Amino acid sequence: ICPDITDRPRQMVNYEYGKRSITEYEVKDSNNGFSLIYLWPHTGRTHQLRVHLAHPLGLNTPIVGDRLYGHVGERLMLHAEELCFTHPTTGETLSFCVPHKDFHVNRS
């Protein structure tokens, strides 16, 4: 993944100039043409999850509400259930968890 210099702030897949990016995923549920997908990024590229889901060589399934890589919606339906990192000063491992609500998509 690397910046798309002709269409900022978008990122793009580029096998020559892009940086390696890895995302592990699991489809947890599907309903009315929408899916709940768990994502575990192993690298931290700008817009990595959004690009991996939307790109034809990725999952080819843009995140609902993604204005850059999919379609305008009420909001971006991307939720970080858990964040863990090492505090840069204390070295303490910090973890924050906010479980997602039950998967319900009501679309007509």
Side-chain angles (χ1 to χ4, degrees), residues 22-72:
I22 300 168
T23 302
E24 191 176 339
Y25 73 94
E26 180 181 351
V27 178
K28 297 297 279 186
D29 195 5
S30 291
N31 184 348
N32 293 332
F34 296 89
S35 297
L36 174 64
I37 302 173
Y38 281 19
L39 305 166
W40 297 275
H42 293 274
T43 51
R45 308 291 174 230
T46 301
H47 299 182
Q48 176 176 321
L49 301 178
R50 296 166 72 183
V51 171
H52 281 170
L53 275 115
H55 196 273
L57 296 177
L59 291 180
N60 200 23
T61 306
I63 299 170
V64 172
D66 189 340
R67 296 169 188 248
L68 281 179
Y69 303 100
H71 307 286
V72 173

Side-chain angles (χ1 to χ4, degrees), residues 60-98:
N60 200 23
T61 306
I63 299 170
V64 172
D66 189 340
R67 296 169 188 248
L68 281 179
Y69 303 100
H71 307 286
V72 173
E74 187 177 320
R75 70 173 190 86
L76 180 65
M77 300 298 281
L78 179 62
H79 173 76
E81 182 174 74
E82 184 175 11
L83 296 172
C84 300
F85 59 93
T86 302
H87 190 281
T89 305
T90 66
E92 177 185 8
T93 299
L94 300 174
S95 180
F96 303 91
C97 185
V98 179

